[in-house]
Amino acid sequence: MTDRAADFASLEGKTALVTGGSRGIGAAVARELAAAGARVAVNYRSSASAAEAIASEIGGLAVAGNVGDPEEARGIVERVESELGDLDILVNNAGITRDTLIARMSDEDWDEVIATNLSAAFYTCRAVSRKMLRRRSGAIVNMTSFVGLHGNPGQANYAATKAGLIGLTKTLAKELGNRGVRVNAVAPGYITTDITSGLSEEIRDFLLSATPLGRLGEPEDVARAVRFLSSDEAAFITGEVLLVDGGLGM
Ligand code: NDP
């Protein structure tokens, strides 16, 4: 019983790629997966020193590249597989916001968010799928948001990508499930990272009052959910969207 508890959600011997792992939630996920025993590749776009620091802390590999570009996304997966081995776990975490009301939203605001938050997950899932299918195992976790389920004024681009990720998750769960590849999504509420650092005090207070657990989330809250869904403890869970939001999105 105690051994089983100690081994719970162990990722010993597994290889993982976390996109956008240099900061915030992705950095916490990289640390958590490594603490569970995985070899972890930390992808980033521009924060080289932060990504290198995390990779060296966890004995992993920092991999530069824009996941919103199809060639770069493929190159990231190929490099990780050649240096760390075939991937058992893919966490599509990289994400950006370009918030504004729709009347003012530029084509660039729309296209950049779609590429980084949604197309990127398509590119990386496609890149890992063939080997995962052949090996009849694999776990993919896509980072969506409670905004993808509920919408949010000023975030038409972002909400569309997060809702799109849910459709991608459920479709891939159906496509890949009979070969042992599981695909799930985690939907954080408001988590204290750079993305949410600009929130006004008024919005913070509102969110706190609307959150039954009475606090904003920490990156580690999300990381533990990702670890669980990546592990064999979640062997019969696929196509699931797990809210990690203190009850905000109920
Ligand atoms: P941060 O802004 O703190 O970190 C974003 C990460 O994504 C960074 O590592 C960044 O790399 C990376 N990134 C951005 N663009 C690219 C790209 N084109 N290619 C590769 N990496 C890229 O964000 P959070 O940690 O807050 O968010 C992580 C994920 O969680 C996102 O998908 C976000 O939408 C989602 N989420 C966050 C919530 C929150 O409240 N914070 C709530 C719900 C969902 P670099 O450092 O090099 O720029």
Side-chain angles (χ1 to χ4, degrees), residues 19-27 42-48 50-51 63-69 72 76 92-98 112 115-117 120 143-147 158 161-162 165 186-196 199 217 219 222 244:
T19 70
S22 51
R23 293 185 278 127
I25 293 171
V42 178
N43 157 253
Y44 65 97
R45 184 172 191 184
S46 50
S47 304
V63 184
N66 172 11
V67 283
D69 176 275
E72 290 193 39
I76 291 162
N92 284 308
N93 166 80
I96 57 168
T97 51
R98 295 287 180 270
E112 207 184 333
T116 306
N117 297 11
M143 198 61 69
T144 176
S145 165
F146 95 115
V147 166
Y158 183 81
T161 63
K162 296 302 182 181
L165 278 175
V186 169
Y190 279 82
I191 311 294
T192 49
T193 69
D194 293 346
I195 264 188
T196 47
L199 286 181
V222 182
V244 181

Side-chain angles (χ1 to χ4, degrees), residues 18 21 51 66 78 81 83 88 100 106 110 118 202 216 236:
V18 181
N66 172 11
E78 283 174 1
E81 288 185 335
E83 296 200 27
D88 302 289
T100 189
S106 67
W110 176 265
L118 180 58
E202 191 189 352
L216 300 185
F236 203 49

